[in-house]
Amino acid sequence: MNSPIIELKHITKSFSGVKALTDVSLTVHPGSVHALVGENGAGKSTLMKILTGAYSKSSGEIFYKGEKVENMDPKTSKKLGIHCIYQELNVANYLTVAENVFLGSQPVNKLGLIDWKQMNQTAKEIFASLQINLDPKQMAKDISIAQKQMIEIARAISQDAKILIMDEPTSSLSERETEILLSLVTELKNKGVSILYISHRMDEIFKVCDTVTVLRDGKYIKSLPMSEVKDVDSLVELMVNRKMESYFNKIEVPIGETILDVQNLSKTGVLNNINFNLRSGEILGIAGLVGSGRTEIAQALFGMLKKDAGEILIDNKKVEIKGPSDAIKLGIGFVTENRKETGLVLKQTVRDNISLPNLRKYTTNLFINKKAEKKESEDYKKKLNIKTRSIEQTISTLSGGNQQKAIISRWMIQEPRILILDEPCRGVDVGAKAEIFAQISKLAEQGVGIIMISSEIAEIVGMSDRTIVMREGTLAGELEKDMITSDNILKLAFGGGISA
Amino acid sequence: MLKNNSSSIEMSQNNKNINWKNTLFVIFDKGSTTIGLALLFIIMSIITTDFLTVDNLVNVMRQSSVLCIMAVAMTFIIITGGIDLSAGSQLAVSGVAVSGLIVAGVPIPLAILLTIIIGGLIGLFMGTVISTQNIPPFIVTLAMLTILSGIAFVYTEGTPIVVSDAVFREIGRGFIGPIPTAIVIMIIVAIIGHLLLSHTRFGRYVYTIGDNEEAARLCGINVKLVKTSVYAFGGAIMAIAGIVLASRLSSGSPNAGTGSELDAIAAVVLGGTNLFGGEGKISGTLMGVAIISILNNGLNLLNVSSYNQLMIKGVVILLAVWLNSIKARRKASV
């Protein structure tokens, strides 16, 4: 095997006395894809930040091509060709695709003005070499998230990246976009670029990675070639150090009356004549590619999207839902897909975030009864096992999974009849995932009708009693019980037939 | 064994060091405004002979009452992520209005009530435009700054409306028992502000909207109504400030209050309220007001010329905001 491009040896990092990383080692070879896995808070990000120079290590050594790097600061890291593509994309919306590729290093002509011709040409060449189909002259605001990600990758390539760190690159991509990204990863690998691949999605890791390093609680657990990893379960076991019987704690419950009936729901260009219903105690999965209209169904039900035609019936009665407050009054709760943008109130405490839509409940006369509010938040903290020092902690300090639990608590307190969950486990670590699914099952057991939208087909298969699959704004098909398989879902989502 | 011992001692010392540093930072985090205010107070007490006297301190408070009332309203607006640049002009309009009404023979209590209603309506108008038309508060209130100022000048034809009524003068200059009336009004406004902000749903919604408007909407909060209400409430409170000022001056002048919106904003920011919304407290604002007022008073006692005062005040504000931003960065990096 060729000699390693970068080696981290016995890295320890502590923040004011608290150890975030203890004795972690990592060896990356050129032209390989190296997965870094672990639950949220296992130290993956910290390790990457040490590599990019954002943090300085407390002890340990870093070697680049066998030579010791004394001081890894952001400048050195860049010079060595280490680039990171973060979850939050760094793309200026009102610049063109090409400008974004060369952000900060736009080619200039003799007069010192931007050389547009050369810039567009070079961008085109880079795209061609990576087999990316993107017009350099397009405005960045008009392209998809997946394409923005490609801009970032092209940017790294234009700066001659040797090591590319990808932090959850597929978390907001659809199935098909993920495929494209994964083939791009392989393309990069063939060009000799080393890739450090951080992901919660096991199937991707099995697809593209050569080696995997497992971290747990800031400690180095194991590095091994993917060929030696038996299956997903054995990898997950290393990560969580306890046997995962199943992520999904699906409980079979008797399914009741129809509580929600959606008829001919349409919105020009987005939703086309959608019909489905939901019964109490039922978990209805909505699958489909990103942009197929899944989220839009939820938004229409929650009064965020004005429908052009169609009826929504709750308990066989026609209802008008003009805004979120109408939906809430009808007993609908909605956990949105973008926690940070549309769910959390980041500067506030865990308690504030849990009680937000429920304040009316604690209000007597004019004033909020803070004792009652605290008590209920405290109850839910225990019930959902929200890991936080105190409910008075600012919510931004919690991990994604615990933030999500707080948001779910928020709606549980409302005692909704219908709970819509859009990507409930996006960016949530394995342990918290199991806990969240257990809660969803429990709610169904109590007779709540659950609509669960997910890009992770395994989640849909594992959790739903019935599944509808969306394709380009139309309902491509409905699957019952045993028919809910990855195969069938994918076929419907991509426009094929299904088989029993 | 020996080696172990010494290293464990070293460790515990290290820990002590860290703890000591941490404690210092916590104090700094929680109380930089308080510390600043205390230092300012001590320095002024030492370098001037007249600062630390009951008479002077009561005087400082009375002089700060108008600014304080304004700053309470401004705190609400800034926490929603907004701003009110027209506050100074609102002061002028309400001063002119109350004086005009009294001179026209309207009974004083009714004149005051009407003025507060006018203030509330001005706020309601701005709030409606801001929340329903999606125009940034900066622009709307900047436009209102000139419009309202214009109205005050047109109505008075540029000359102050003098109110000779002794009863009216009591608001700004009189006493309730041993305490100046203006201070009593200021305290009541601050208490109402605090209760609203920290103990009611309305207050919690104000914070939420300032932090994440979309999340607020998805939780069923009527964002437009809350925002509009904040400006309407703010307008009514600004009118109270204008009335107190007019009473102290015994006249309603179109020039009164010019530029005071900047002092109010500075006080709010000095008090630790986040200029981008979502964070802040009335208690912080009160300290911000105290810092500005004590600085004004102290510099006057030291016979610093008013031009130099401007510079010193600016530097102090910049320093304080800089400290706050260090705090914010520290928080973000933890």
Side-chain angles (χ1 to χ4, degrees):
Chain A
M1 199 157 194
N2 48 15
S3 55
I5 180 157
I6 198 133
E7 282 174 284
L8 301 176
K9 285 187 178 168
H10 312 294
I11 300 288
T12 296
K13 170 72 188 172
S14 42
F15 295 100
S16 13
V18 183
K19 278 192 175 163
L21 286 176
T22 320
D23 197 15
V24 173
S25 298
L26 182 72
T27 305
V28 181
H29 293 274
S32 75
V33 184
H34 194 123
L36 192 60
V37 298
E39 293 193 68
N40 282 349
K44 293 169 297 189
S45 306
T46 313
L47 189 61
M48 291 307 104
K49 281 183 178 158
I50 284 172
L51 207 46
T52 57
Y55 292 160
S56 54
K57 59 188 184 331
S58 303
S59 70
E61 291 171 318
I62 302 177
F63 293 90
Y64 180 81
K65 289 184 174 166
E67 267 176 60
K68 193 168 167 186
V69 182
E70 289 298 342
N71 193 7
M72 189 64 110
D73 52 30
K75 254 191 196 156
T76 315
S77 176
K78 262 253 156 81
K79 222 188 276 165
L80 297 177
I82 301 173
H83 286 258
C84 186
I85 293 166
Y86 296 97
Q87 263 170 288
E88 283 87 26
L89 294 174
N90 205 351
V91 170
N93 275 328
Y94 288 88
L95 296 181
T96 68
V97 167
E99 276 180 289
N100 269 294
V101 170
F102 296 99
L103 207 59
S105 58
Q106 290 96 331
V108 288
N109 60 21
K110 278 177 207 150
L111 293 172
L113 302 173
I114 290 178
D115 188 342
W116 286 91
K117 223 180 198 173
Q118 201 209 323
M119 188 162 72
N120 288 332
Q121 187 55 38
T122 320
K124 212 178 232 170
E125 281 161 19
I126 294 172
F127 291 152
S129 79
L130 296 172
Q131 304 188 357
I132 299 173
N133 185 16
L134 207 54
D135 176 9
K137 289 180 188 166
Q138 223 177 342
M139 288 291 265
K141 70 176 168 63
D142 298 325
I143 65 177
S144 71
I145 292 181
Q147 289 172 318
K148 284 182 185 169
Q149 217 162 31
M150 288 169 188
I151 289 185
E152 292 226 22
I153 293 170
R155 187 189 298 156
I157 296 302
S158 80
Q159 292 171 15
D160 205 18
K162 298 280 192 316
I163 299 167
L164 196 59
I165 302 168
M166 300 175 97
D167 190 0
E168 293 266 358
T170 56
S171 64
S172 46
L173 301 191
S174 69
E175 204 89 17
R176 218 174 70 84
E177 290 171 326
T178 302
E179 284 301 323
I180 297 173
L181 184 92
L182 293 184
S183 65
L184 185 55
V185 167
T186 316
E187 200 72 36
L188 288 168
K189 173 184 151 176
N190 293 339
K191 292 183 94 167
V193 178
S194 304
I195 292 153
L196 264 165
Y197 197 86
I198 302 177
S199 180
H200 285 306
R201 296 194 178 171
M202 294 297 146
D203 50 332
E204 293 166 7
I205 288 171
F206 277 88
K207 249 180 229 165
V208 295
C209 297
D210 305 306
T211 323
V212 60
T213 292
V214 183
L215 298 184
R216 189 202 307 152
D217 301 327
K219 294 191 189 78
Y220 172 81
I221 301 298
K222 210 172 190 179
S223 281
L224 69 170
M226 284 306 291
S227 53
E228 286 176 25
V229 183
K230 238 187 8 221
D231 52 15
V232 175
D233 286 351
S234 60
L235 194 54
V236 170
E237 263 167 52
L238 284 176
M239 284 160 61
V240 297
N241 194 23
R242 68 184 140 90
K243 225 165 161 57
M244 289 287 294
E245 289 305 334
S246 163
Y247 269 7
F248 312 109
N249 300 284
K250 170 89 179 126
I251 313 166
E252 294 300 330
V253 300
I255 287 168
E257 301 278 299
T258 299
I259 43 176
L260 172 75
D261 200 357
V262 175
Q263 297 174 350
N264 307 321
L265 181 67
S266 295
K267 169 86 185 173
T268 312
V270 186
L271 292 173
N272 183 14
N273 207 15
I274 306 292
N275 289 283
F276 69 92
N277 61 30
L278 175 73
R279 287 166 286 178
S280 81
E282 182 181 42
I283 300 178
L284 176 73
I286 303 187
L289 306 175
V290 171
S292 62
R294 300 175 316 188
T295 299
E296 286 75 7
I297 292 181
Q299 288 177 337
L301 286 176
F302 207 64
M304 293 160 67
L305 185 79
K306 207 169 162 272
K307 61 181 196 296
D308 295 334
E311 312 280 359
I312 296 168
L313 284 82
I314 288 180
D315 295 332
N316 292 318
K317 260 183 259 149
K318 209 179 113 181
V319 292
E320 271 317 312
I321 302 172
K322 290 205 191 91
S325 59
D326 287 347
I328 292 170
K329 272 180 212 140
L330 288 164
I332 304 176
F334 185 19
V335 177
T336 57
E337 60 178 330
N338 303 314
R339 248 191 323 274
K340 283 205 172 123
E341 289 78 15
T342 56
L344 295 169
V345 190
L346 283 168
K347 287 176 194 142
Q348 295 190 13
T349 63
V350 177
R351 170 181 51 78
D352 285 314
N353 273 281
I354 292 177
S355 58
L356 181 56
N358 309 304
L359 288 173
R360 194 177 294 270
K361 194 175 159 187
Y362 317 121
T363 312
T364 36
N365 301 323
L366 195 59
F367 298 112
I368 295 169
N369 179 347
K370 292 200 171 175
K371 236 188 217 159
E373 184 198 349
K374 265 186 193 153
K375 194 186 164 294
E376 189 143 40
S377 303
E378 199 68 64
D379 286 349
Y380 274 84
K381 179 198 158 199
K382 284 199 198 99
K383 207 165 161 181
L384 270 73
N385 190 23
I386 300 173
K387 284 174 201 140
T388 171
R389 213 160 4 105
S390 134
I391 53 168
E392 299 303 323
Q393 187 111 351
T394 313
I395 196 138
S396 58
T397 61
L398 269 59
S399 75
N402 288 308
Q403 291 175 343
Q404 189 72 322
K405 286 188 225 166
I407 291 187
I408 292 174
S409 312
R410 168 196 289 181
W411 294 111
M412 282 172 74
I413 293 174
Q414 290 264 325
E415 296 176 354
R417 303 198 50 212
I418 300 164
L419 184 61
I420 309 169
L421 299 130
D422 196 354
E423 303 282 6
C425 290
R426 172 177 290 172
V428 167
D429 61 78
V430 176
K433 249 184 206 176
E435 284 170 350
I436 288 172
F437 286 128
Q439 275 316 318
I440 294 175
S441 272
K442 243 186 238 167
L443 284 170
E445 203 177 4
Q446 289 157 17
V448 180
I450 309 268
I451 297 177
M452 193 180 99
I453 302 169
S454 178
S455 294
E456 302 243 2
I457 291 179
E459 291 179 7
I460 298 273
V461 175
M463 290 299 292
S464 50
D465 296 302
R466 200 153 50 90
T467 299
I468 57 176
V469 183
M470 295 293 296
R471 182 176 71 236
E472 290 167 12
T474 56
L475 204 153
E478 190 174 318
L479 300 167
E480 296 265 359
K481 295 255 156 190
D482 295 340
M483 296 287 283
I484 308 173
T485 61
S486 328
D487 260 20
N488 284 342
I489 292 171
L490 279 176
K491 279 176 191 157
L492 286 172
F494 284 107
I498 59 165
S499 55
Chain B
M1 201 50 212
L2 208 83
K3 208 179 163 193
N4 262 339
N5 257 338
S6 71
S7 76
S8 75
I9 287 168
E10 208 173 276
M11 276 244 306
S12 75
Q13 258 176 355
N14 244 339
N15 274 341
K16 244 185 216 162
N17 248 335
I18 288 164
N19 284 339
W20 182 80
K21 252 192 196 164
N22 267 354
T23 330
L24 206 69
F25 268 122
V26 168
I27 293 172
F28 171 66
D29 267 4
K30 299 254 179 219
S32 60
T33 314
T34 324
I35 296 168
L37 178 57
L39 280 178
L40 187 66
F41 193 91
I42 293 166
I43 292 169
M44 287 303 174
S45 304
I46 293 169
I47 60 174
T48 67
T49 46
D50 300 329
F51 178 75
L52 196 61
T53 59
V54 175
D55 275 358
N56 185 54
L57 291 180
V58 169
N59 187 31
V60 171
M61 275 178 83
R62 183 160 51 184
Q63 280 175 351
S64 70
S65 58
V66 172
L67 174 63
C68 185
I69 295 167
M70 285 175 85
V72 167
M74 194 66 85
T75 306
F76 276 77
I77 292 168
I78 292 181
I79 291 177
T80 63
I83 194 91
D84 188 355
L85 296 177
S86 71
S89 297
Q90 289 182 53
L91 233 59
V93 166
S94 46
V96 164
V98 77
S99 310
L101 286 166
I102 291 170
V103 168
V106 177
I108 291 171
L110 186 62
I112 289 174
L113 185 68
L114 285 173
T115 305
I116 294 176
I117 291 174
I118 292 170
L121 288 174
I122 293 171
L124 183 71
F125 172 73
M126 292 195 294
T128 310
V129 173
I130 289 165
S131 61
T132 64
Q133 304 305 308
N134 266 329
I135 307 174
F138 187 94
I139 306 294
V140 174
T141 58
L142 182 63
M144 286 303 279
L145 163 81
T146 47
I147 293 173
L148 293 174
S149 178
I151 290 175
F153 274 104
V154 168
Y155 180 70
T156 57
E157 292 171 344
T159 43
I161 301 172
V162 179
V163 184
S164 46
D165 193 310
V167 180
F168 180 61
R169 213 169 21 190
E170 284 296 301
I171 299 170
R173 298 195 198 165
F175 287 83
I176 295 178
I179 309 165
T181 316
I183 295 179
V184 174
I185 295 172
M186 163 182 104
I187 291 170
I188 292 173
V189 168
I191 289 176
I192 291 175
H194 168 74
L195 287 177
L196 264 182
L197 205 50
S198 299
H199 294 273
T200 69
R201 260 184 292 149
F202 175 71
R204 296 278 284 274
Y205 293 166
V206 167
Y207 284 106
T208 306
I209 288 171
D211 196 346
N212 190 339
E213 209 173 305
E214 189 58 13
R217 202 168 71 87
L218 294 184
C219 281
I221 298 169
N222 189 336
V223 172
K224 285 177 187 167
L225 180 68
V226 174
K227 261 194 185 175
T228 309
S229 310
V230 164
Y231 284 92
F233 169 75
I237 300 292
M238 298 295 181
I240 294 175
I243 293 165
V244 173
L245 182 63
S247 161
R248 203 167 72 206
L249 302 173
S250 294
S251 69
S253 158
N255 285 315
T258 310
S260 61
E261 64 275 348
L262 297 181
D263 272 349
I265 294 167
V268 172
V269 174
L270 276 177
T273 295
N274 189 326
L275 200 48
F276 300 104
E279 274 179 308
K281 276 194 171 129
I282 296 292
S283 57
T285 296
L286 295 186
M287 282 193 266
V289 169
I291 289 175
I292 289 184
S293 307
I294 291 176
L295 203 61
N296 275 338
N297 176 261
L299 294 175
N300 276 334
L301 291 177
L302 288 170
N303 282 324
V304 176
S305 80
S306 62
Y307 300 144
N308 286 329
Q309 280 192 25
L310 283 177
M311 286 192 289
I312 293 169
K313 240 165 63 178
V315 169
V316 167
I317 291 169
L318 203 56
L319 254 170
V321 174
W322 176 62
L323 284 177
N324 268 337
S325 82
I326 292 179
K327 244 173 25 178
R329 256 178 285 162
R330 239 185 72 81
K331 253 190 205 163
S333 72
V334 165

